Amino acid sequence: MGAGRGGLPRLRRLPGEDRAGDPRLRRRARELSTPDGPVVVVTGASDGIGAAAARRLHRAGAQVVVVGRSPEKTAAVAAELDGARALTADFARLDDVRRLAAQLAELPRIDVLADNAGASFPRRELTVDGHERTFQVDHLAPYLLTRLLEAQLRASRARVVTTSSFAHWGGVTRRGHLAGAVQSRPPYLATRAYARAKWCNVLFTRELARRWAPDVTATCFDPGGVATSFGRAAGGATGLLFRSPLVAFLRTPAQGADTLVWLATAADGWRNGAHHAHRSRTLTARSARDDVRAAELWELSARLVGLPA
């Protein structure tokens, strides 16, 4: 849903959601509403933040495409949403991403692509494509999917919303050293690998906004600490936190999805290419605002997935 194209009807206040009744959001949604509703693709939507966002966007009138790794869980979420389409893909397999892109290419338009899928793994593993698993699932696969959908996204004047994290502050990598760093060669630290992947999300958003403007807008956000199955399965200190009693103090998936939905629907208040939290632009690590590193990451990612830069 780009400027002047597509839109969502009124968003209702839901239990556990932050500021869902924002009058600016409701007013702009009414102005942009269309009979059929915008087409919104949400990856990582079989559970957690993605499922919560898909439900709320559907209630608001969007035509939602639910993408997940588990066929059973993905189908169950889509079944709740009358008319929603369920597609499956394992982001640890780039051929799955290519197949998913081909399926999505059949859609008449894509107004919002929510690159929300992500994971953290306790041990260093290489995917069948030869990449460190956290890096591929959290950055490389979303990069490939977004690139393969370029024509549709440009034609629809779409928004790309990527789920990042405040953890990106721990993923800083020096210029010229990305190729080795993103593969998290031993000694492997799960928390560092995840932080670096989230750092890549922020840089990718910045470069995407620059390269595809004015046709496509790109933003990313930190959902905060959210009590989901993702956290419980994570490695390192993150996994320990989510498996401890402190999980009771974390945000709900609905609360974590609030900024995603806002970035996908609000007319203003966010900034193209920037990182957000709690419906506001947030400060990022200085290296995540470095255009040299952003271009380096884009070109490296293109080589790794076999695309021209």
Side-chain angles (χ1 to χ4, degrees):
M1 179 182 61
R5 302 287 297 274
L8 296 175
R10 176 174 178 167
L11 294 174
R12 292 168 291 177
R13 180 176 294 277
L14 301 171
E17 291 179 340
D18 295 344
R19 298 166 56 195
D22 188 316
R24 293 187 306 164
L25 182 56
R26 292 200 306 265
R27 183 171 60 252
R28 180 60 174 170
R30 287 194 297 269
E31 291 171 357
L32 297 178
S33 61
T34 60
D36 297 327
V39 177
V40 182
V41 177
V42 185
T43 70
S46 61
D47 200 357
I49 294 169
R55 293 183 182 108
R56 183 170 164 205
L57 288 162
H58 171 76
R59 284 192 291 263
Q63 301 176 67
V64 180
V65 180
V66 180
V67 179
R69 184 172 63 88
S70 165
E72 296 77 17
K73 293 171 67 175
T74 305
V77 173
E80 299 176 35
L81 317 179
D82 183 36
R85 183 175 180 181
L87 297 176
T88 58
D90 183 351
F91 277 21
R93 295 177 175 272
L94 293 183
D95 279 346
D96 268 26
V97 178
R98 296 182 180 100
R99 175 178 52 80
L100 172 63
Q103 292 172 314
L104 292 173
E106 298 173 2
L107 297 172
R109 60 184 296 115
I110 297 176
D111 297 287
V112 179
L113 171 61
D115 282 328
N116 172 70
S120 174
F121 303 98
R123 292 173 299 278
R124 186 177 188 270
E125 302 174 41
L126 297 183
T127 68
V128 294
D129 305 287
H131 310 299
E132 193 277 317
R133 196 175 177 190
T134 301
F135 169 66
Q136 177 166 318
V137 171
D138 287 52
H139 166 69
L140 205 56
Y143 171 87
L144 175 61
L145 179 62
T146 305
R147 288 288 310 272
L148 293 176
L149 295 175
E150 178 178 0
Q152 274 178 297
L153 295 172
R154 284 186 182 273
S156 302
R157 301 190 68 82
R159 295 183 185 182
V160 177
V161 181
T162 301
T163 304
S164 182
S165 171
F166 69 91
H168 82 272
W169 283 80
V172 174
T173 301
R174 290 183 296 164
R175 290 181 180 179
H177 290 74
L178 266 66
V182 296
Q183 300 295 357
S184 296
R185 296 192 174 96
Y188 176 78
L189 295 175
T191 304
R192 182 172 60 189
Y194 177 71
R196 188 164 287 137
K198 298 292 102 178
W199 180 75
C200 288
N201 291 158
V202 181
L203 281 174
F204 166 60
T205 296
R206 185 179 184 88
E207 187 69 1
L208 178 64
R210 185 186 72 82
R211 286 178 179 252
W212 289 9
D215 298 332
V216 174
T217 54
T219 57
C220 59
F221 76 103
D222 168 28
V226 180
T228 66
S229 58
F230 160 82
R232 291 189 294 274
T238 300
L240 291 175
L241 168 63
F242 279 81
R243 292 188 291 271
S244 77
L246 293 174
V247 72
F249 298 96
L250 298 179
R251 308 182 81 201
T252 66
Q255 290 172 326
D258 181 73
T259 297
L260 188 162
V261 175
W262 174 72
L263 289 169
T265 60
D268 53 29
W270 48 268
R271 181 171 174 180
N272 190 28
H275 187 263
H276 302 78
H278 304 292
R279 299 195 180 194
S280 299
R281 185 186 178 197
T282 59
L283 183 66
T284 60
R286 186 173 182 179
S287 63
R289 304 191 299 272
D290 182 353
D291 290 335
V292 173
R293 285 183 176 94
E296 182 183 353
L297 176 65
W298 182 282
E299 293 164 6
L300 170 64
S301 301
R303 290 197 301 273
L304 293 177
V305 300
L307 291 176

